[in-house]
Amino acid sequence: MSLSDGKIRWGILGTGFIAGLQTQDLLENGFTVQAVGSRSLDSSKAFAGQHGIPVAQGSYEELVADPDVDVIYVATPHPFHHANALLALNAGKHVLVEKSFTMNAREAREVTAAAAAKGLVALEAMWTRFLPHMVRLRGVIQAGTIGQVRKVVASHNQSLPKDPAHRLNDPGLGGGALLDLGIYPISFAFDILGTPSRIHASASMTATGVDRQTAAIFEYDDGAQALVDCELDAASANRALVIGTDGWIDVEHTWYNPVPFTVHAVDGSVVERYEQPVNSRGMQYQAAELERLVAAGETAGTILPPDETVAIMAAMDEIRRQIRLSYEADEADEAGTA
């Protein structure tokens, strides 16, 4: 059965790598991709030809103005999410915005406020939240199977391009481990434990001035902790643990992808092993949630509501404050408090 009824029409804003992954998952699972837009008509036409998309637009403005498009997937680099999302919302389009949602919490609040004012959906494309194994994992925790959750441990470490001019290493393009990789374990900690009361962060920086590796401890008033870390120049197993008073959940490599997990009792015995094959990469589930919200006339769901997206960005703002990492987008915040 298709995840989409085919009535909602998608427009893809941006033609980079992540745009291709999302588009492929949409098409392979019965969604309707109507148009793509790029700052270059040639790039847009090439992307449309590759994926069999009917319409190629030579600008973002033309894409969001297309009357045959209902939803815009924003797949540009982080510093452009805020402007691109507002462009689409002001044209009356719902938006699915790649993570990190924006550069900071101020921008996130502006986007979510604009969506709410217009009765539109602005959903963060944290695809992991919507995968079947995460839905089941939350169910195991809610059922009390592992008792009271005491600790969440999650890593996202990859060996990525070392070129100083690469987007990941360029502060002008929101480079660094935190926004690209750290968003995953941070969002996972929020998913399981909610907003922390206190954050302690540490980082090492690259020669270009972005974070090469960052680690943080989230503390909660009930004594729970989350230990999260990310790195962009060294890989690891990238597993995740949820530790409770009556057992633990071990999410296998690579935990933020559709992978199995095992629930252990406190004595180490296996209570449950969950494994469900997923079609495509798995990015279709976040699209299905957006379409569900639109069909229901809702602007916020329970899996990742807009206010939680803003809170996640605020947590990353605090981490950046502690590790002394700032971007051009932060200058408006500083001007507002001057």
Side-chain angles (χ1 to χ4, degrees):
M1 184 177 68
S2 170
L3 288 172
S4 169
D5 60 11
K7 294 181 180 178
I8 293 174
R9 301 158 299 181
W10 288 75
I12 310 299
L13 193 152
T15 55
F17 176 71
I18 194 69
L21 293 178
Q22 179 68 74
T23 300
Q24 182 174 330
D25 279 9
L26 288 171
L27 292 171
E28 288 179 355
N29 291 276
F31 293 80
T32 300
V33 181
Q34 174 65 24
V36 58
S38 171
R39 290 174 296 180
S40 160
L41 183 58
D42 288 343
S43 175
S44 188
K45 286 181 175 179
F47 190 93
Q50 179 184 356
H51 296 283
I53 299 172
V55 177
Q57 303 284 13
S59 71
Y60 300 151
E61 289 78 10
E62 289 175 297
L63 176 67
V64 303
D66 190 332
D68 293 326
V69 170
D70 305 300
V71 175
I72 299 292
Y73 168 59
V74 176
T76 47
H78 313 315
F80 309 109
H81 290 177
H82 173 257
N84 296 157
L86 289 177
L87 182 72
L89 290 167
N90 288 331
K93 313 297 187 186
H94 306 280
V95 290
L96 177 66
V97 184
E98 258 309 323
K99 68 223 157 326
S100 63
F101 188 72
T102 52
M103 291 298 292
N104 54 39
R106 173 189 57 80
E107 289 188 344
R109 282 190 292 269
E110 290 176 2
V111 171
T112 56
K118 296 177 179 296
L120 297 168
V121 177
L123 181 65
E124 180 186 357
M126 175 43 73
W127 66 295
T128 302
R129 286 276 184 118
F130 306 95
L131 292 171
H133 76 295
M134 286 298 170
V135 175
R136 177 58 191 151
L137 184 147
R138 287 190 291 268
V140 169
I141 294 170
Q142 290 164 3
T145 305
I146 63 168
Q148 182 184 1
V149 175
R150 290 287 177 82
K151 188 177 294 182
V152 169
V153 183
S155 297
H156 190 179
N157 303 311
Q158 294 192 41
S159 182
L160 298 171
K162 310 298 191 296
D163 180 0
H166 191 279
R167 176 187 69 81
L168 287 165
N169 303 307
D170 184 351
L173 291 176
L178 182 65
L179 295 190
D180 256 276
L181 307 180
I183 179 67
Y184 283 89
I186 289 169
S187 186
F188 183 59
F190 269 77
D191 194 8
I192 306 304
L193 292 172
T195 302
S197 303
R198 293 164 298 280
I199 296 174
H200 307 277
S202 175
S204 297
M205 312 305 282
T206 69
T208 59
V210 300
D211 63 312
R212 175 177 63 80
Q213 63 180 38
T214 295
I217 302 172
F218 289 179
E219 295 181 350
Y220 298 82
D221 288 339
D222 66 355
Q225 295 176 320
L227 312 179
V228 298
D229 68 276
C230 57
E231 181 159 355
L232 53 68
D233 64 355
S236 74
N238 291 331
R239 299 176 78 100
L241 289 171
V242 182
I243 302 168
T245 53
D246 296 330
W248 72 90
I249 303 171
D250 179 10
V251 191
E252 297 181 8
H253 169 82
T254 301
W255 68 266
Y256 45 84
N257 287 321
V259 296
F261 68 76
T262 303
V263 183
H264 297 269
V266 72
D267 63 0
S269 60
V270 174
V271 176
E272 175 184 342
R273 177 173 169 79
Y274 180 85
E275 183 170 6
Q276 178 178 319
V278 167
N279 292 332
S280 309
R281 185 171 187 253
M283 297 174 76
Q284 66 271 22
Y285 292 96
Q286 61 185 4
E289 170 65 4
L290 188 144
E291 290 205 0
R292 184 195 69 78
L293 291 169
V294 172
E298 301 173 359
T299 57
T302 59
I303 295 177
L304 185 52
D307 59 351
E308 186 168 342
T309 287
V310 172
I312 289 168
M313 291 309 310
M316 293 205 293
D317 285 356
E318 174 58 20
I319 291 171
R320 290 198 296 111
R321 184 191 68 79
Q322 292 187 26
I323 67 174
R324 299 180 181 179
L325 174 60
S326 62
Y327 297 109
E328 184 178 345
D330 300 323
E331 294 176 5
D333 295 343
E334 295 167 1
T337 57

